[in-house]
Amino acid sequence: MIEERFDAIVVGAGMAGNAAALAMAKRGMKVLQLERGEYSGSKNVQGAILYADMLEKLIPDFREDAPLERHLVEQRFWMMDDRSHVGLHYCSDEFNEQRPNRYTIIRAQFDKWFSSKVREAGATVLCETTVTELAQDANGKVVGVRTDRGDGEVHADVVVLAEGVNGLLGTRAGLRERPKPDKVALAVKEMHFLPRETIEERFNLEGDEGVVIEAVGTISRGMTGMGFIYANKECISLGIGCLVADFQRTGETPYGLLDRFKRHPSVGRLIKGSEVKEYSAHLIPEGGYKAIPQLYGEGWVVVGDAAQLNNAIHREGSNLAMTSGRIAAEAISQVRSRRAPMSAENLALYKRMLDDSFVIKDLKKYKDMPTLMHTNSQNFFLTYPQLVSRAMQNFVRVDGTPKTEKEKVTLKSFVNARSWIGLFGDAFRLARAWR
Ligand SMILES: Cc1cc2nc3c(=O)[nH]c(=O)nc-3n(C[C@H](O)[C@H](O)[C@H](O)COP(=O)(O)OP(=O)(O)OC[C@H]3O[C@@H](n4cnc5c(N)ncnc54)[C@H](O)[C@@H]3O)c2cc1C
């Protein structure tokens, strides 16, 4: 066990932990980072889209050596029924810019690289070390951690909890509750390997251009969830996730959903002939603003997924994790520079700074969305996708039926399925939750 005392201990070496450890080490703080995985990233799962802006704030020249896959020039949104999809595609050559805005990455490689920057900045990074408990003094103040390496305690002025969505450490110490099944999604993901040229041909890409597809509809069998397909250089990341409460309610399995998703005619042709080399499953915090726990206390702060900072509507998580880690580091560093104690009163600065950032502003904007989606999942994830698909088929199929008659059929199908009151109610509730 390490005898020395640290300015800060960071638990976890994912996006949030690496951001916090890096930002504090760069400010000259003595930082110990503990990660239970064999290496940073070995246990981490993501789609994965990397948002450049948030990484640039930590490592401005990251493009020089970060393991990036493709820069995104196209985003596709699909609303699917069992045999078709209605798509909204946005593709722009403007994204072929000098400093692209979004990339696909492979987390195992990316986190390893990120961790090397944390070490270079001077932090002590110990992998294969699980933090088993927070060490607290007689007044309940967090003063350090205990690990599976030995009996002793490692002490620090402040502990940054960046332990990811499960957050067992924080819940065990009574700092927050375990995420409830209706606030957390279970996602499964596979990596499908194909020759580079095949990927570029199938997705209509040139060079390192990339595309991501986000999909909703009957693929989630009426449960609150989404599928995704992201093009990397020589593989395609493909996955689907739904709320744990919905899996419990329906008895559907994540593997069953993934299998159906892959066999969908729109998806099957993209991955045809591929070799699956990786399979993973992970939770995603999806409770939004209302699920955010207490973010700071006596001698501790919590960042990233452990703090439920995830924007499920925009499928953003790693950027909120990096930003909360960086902001926590800035707040801690400010308290330290005043030579003030790491008390709850002083660490409240972290929350004030986070409230002022896009992280909380965005989550606040969508605060009613998670409940709306969950309580209306049958309509939003099953009925409407089916209706929209049939309406589109009716619209484009040329069969001699007069157009006015076609419009009447489509309108009737919507009214029969939801009634006028239901349709207006859904539109109103959606608009109100979106504002
Ligand atoms: C399938 C899927 C797809 C996603 N796609 C995207 C996407 O495309 N873009 C995006 O921005 N976000 C995406 N996300 C969300 C994103 O992955 C998370 O928001 C982000 O990883 C959170 O970072 P974090 O550091 O808080 O947690 P994590 O990355 O989970 O890191 C937590 C770390 O803590 C370690 N740890 C946990 N407990 C302990 C302990 N007791 N002791 C020591 N170490 C410990 C873990 O091993 C892990 O390394 C996706 C998530 C999933 C599951």
Side-chain angles (χ1 to χ4, degrees):
M1 185 48 59
I2 301 167
E3 295 297 333
E4 57 192 305
R5 189 186 167 80
F6 291 85
D7 293 328
I9 292 173
V10 179
V11 182
M15 290 292 198
N18 281 338
L22 177 70
M24 287 190 289
K26 274 188 168 174
R27 286 175 167 77
M29 289 176 63
K30 191 170 161 188
V31 177
L32 172 67
Q33 188 183 33
L34 302 167
E35 164 58 44
R36 66 180 173 170
E38 193 187 334
Y39 56 89
S40 169
S42 62
K43 294 210 175 259
N44 298 340
V45 180
Q46 195 177 320
I49 304 174
L50 171 80
Y51 302 94
D53 178 81
M54 290 77 202
L55 182 59
E56 249 174 356
K57 291 198 165 68
L58 290 153
I59 308 173
D61 58 355
F62 77 88
R63 292 180 181 83
E64 282 175 18
D65 58 352
L68 305 168
E69 288 288 312
R70 294 179 177 275
H71 68 274
L72 297 180
V73 295
E74 184 172 350
Q75 175 100 30
R76 302 181 192 169
F77 300 98
W78 285 359
M79 187 180 271
M80 304 172 90
D81 78 348
D82 290 346
R83 294 183 62 192
S84 67
H85 74 262
V86 180
L88 171 69
H89 296 193
Y90 182 71
C91 179
S92 173
D93 190 39
E94 281 180 73
F95 288 127
N96 277 321
E97 54 208 329
Q98 192 103 49
R99 296 149 69 86
N101 179 254
R102 298 182 307 157
Y103 296 87
T104 49
I105 54 166
I106 295 172
R107 275 293 294 272
Q109 297 167 10
F110 180 84
D111 286 16
K112 227 179 192 176
W113 167 86
F114 203 171
S115 181
S116 73
K117 300 289 169 188
V118 176
R119 285 174 209 262
E120 275 170 31
T124 304
V125 183
L126 278 187
C127 292
E128 293 185 288
T129 310
T130 301
V131 176
T132 51
E133 226 180 329
L134 293 175
Q136 288 168 286
D137 68 11
N139 300 320
K141 182 179 193 305
V142 173
V143 292
V145 298
R146 290 190 197 91
T147 75
D148 61 353
R149 282 195 173 223
D151 296 328
E153 293 177 357
V154 199
H155 291 131
D157 294 341
V158 63
V159 174
V160 178
L161 291 159
E163 51 177 335
V165 56
N166 274 325
L168 292 177
L169 209 54
T171 48
R172 243 185 261 139
L175 305 183
R176 60 180 176 277
E177 288 178 14
R178 275 201 85 171
K180 302 224 163 58
D182 62 339
K183 304 278 182 282
V184 71
L186 174 61
V188 284
K189 177 191 151 186
E190 285 180 353
M191 301 281 266
H192 287 251
F193 283 77
L194 281 166
R196 189 183 171 127
E197 316 77 66
T198 309
I199 292 178
E200 284 160 15
E201 202 178 297
R202 287 186 190 173
F203 287 90
N204 196 22
L205 301 169
E206 281 180 14
D208 281 346
E209 287 178 346
V211 56
V212 289
I213 304 172
E214 315 281 8
V216 292
T218 62
I219 47 163
S220 70
R221 320 282 290 156
M223 301 189 286
T224 316
M226 279 185 102
F228 62 88
I229 303 167
Y230 298 165
N232 297 313
K233 278 184 184 146
E234 290 177 350
C235 66
I236 295 166
S237 303
L238 175 147
I240 188 162
C242 290
L243 283 185
V244 170
D246 285 349
F247 280 124
Q248 289 173 335
R249 176 177 57 81
T250 59
E252 293 280 348
T253 63
Y255 319 96
L257 284 193
L258 186 64
D259 201 46
R260 285 174 62 95
F261 186 43
K262 286 190 297 182
R263 283 192 280 112
H264 190 284
S266 302
V267 179
R269 67 191 64 191
L270 294 174
I271 55 169
K272 196 168 154 201
S274 64
E275 191 187 345
V276 184
K277 289 199 188 157
E278 270 181 55
Y279 181 89
S280 48
H282 208 277
L283 295 174
I284 309 178
E286 300 213 335
Y289 183 72
K290 291 179 182 169
I292 299 173
Q294 176 67 21
L295 292 171
Y296 61 92
E298 295 291 334
W300 62 272
V301 294
V302 57
V303 296
D305 274 12
Q308 308 291 304
L309 302 175
N310 198 294
N311 183 341
I313 306 298
H314 286 260
R315 292 189 59 77
E316 294 176 20
S318 63
N319 52 337
L320 278 66
M322 280 190 276
T323 304
S324 58
R326 177 179 57 78
I327 288 178
E330 282 171 16
I332 289 168
S333 157
Q334 281 192 34
V335 174
R336 187 169 171 268
S337 64
R338 294 200 308 265
R339 296 185 192 283
M342 294 292 165
S343 62
E345 194 186 350
N346 288 327
L347 290 172
L349 176 64
Y350 162 52
K351 175 154 189 313
R352 289 200 296 277
M353 289 167 74
L354 203 62
D355 281 347
D356 209 27
S357 73
F358 80 92
V359 174
I360 299 295
K361 285 181 181 165
D362 285 356
L363 292 178
K364 211 171 193 174
K365 167 176 161 56
Y366 296 122
K367 65 182 187 317
D368 296 324
M369 269 296 191
T371 310
L372 178 69
M373 288 293 137
H374 182 44
T375 50
N376 292 276
S377 63
Q378 282 286 324
N379 295 328
F380 289 129
F381 294 92
L382 198 64
T383 309
Y384 282 119
Q386 284 169 337
L387 289 169
V388 170
S389 171
R390 259 181 261 139
M392 281 308 292
Q393 165 112 204
N394 190 22
F395 183 73
V396 296
R397 190 182 281 278
V398 178
D399 55 8
T401 312
K403 306 299 180 212
T404 325
E405 229 166 274
K406 278 177 174 268
E407 282 167 16
K408 273 187 197 151
V409 168
T410 292
L411 188 63
K412 208 168 157 203
S413 70
F414 274 75
V415 177
N416 283 348
R418 289 296 294 138
S419 80
W420 281 110
I421 293 177
L423 289 173
F424 281 117
D426 290 342
F428 177 71
R429 281 190 291 272
L430 196 59
R432 201 173 52 176
W434 194 270
R435 84 198 131 112

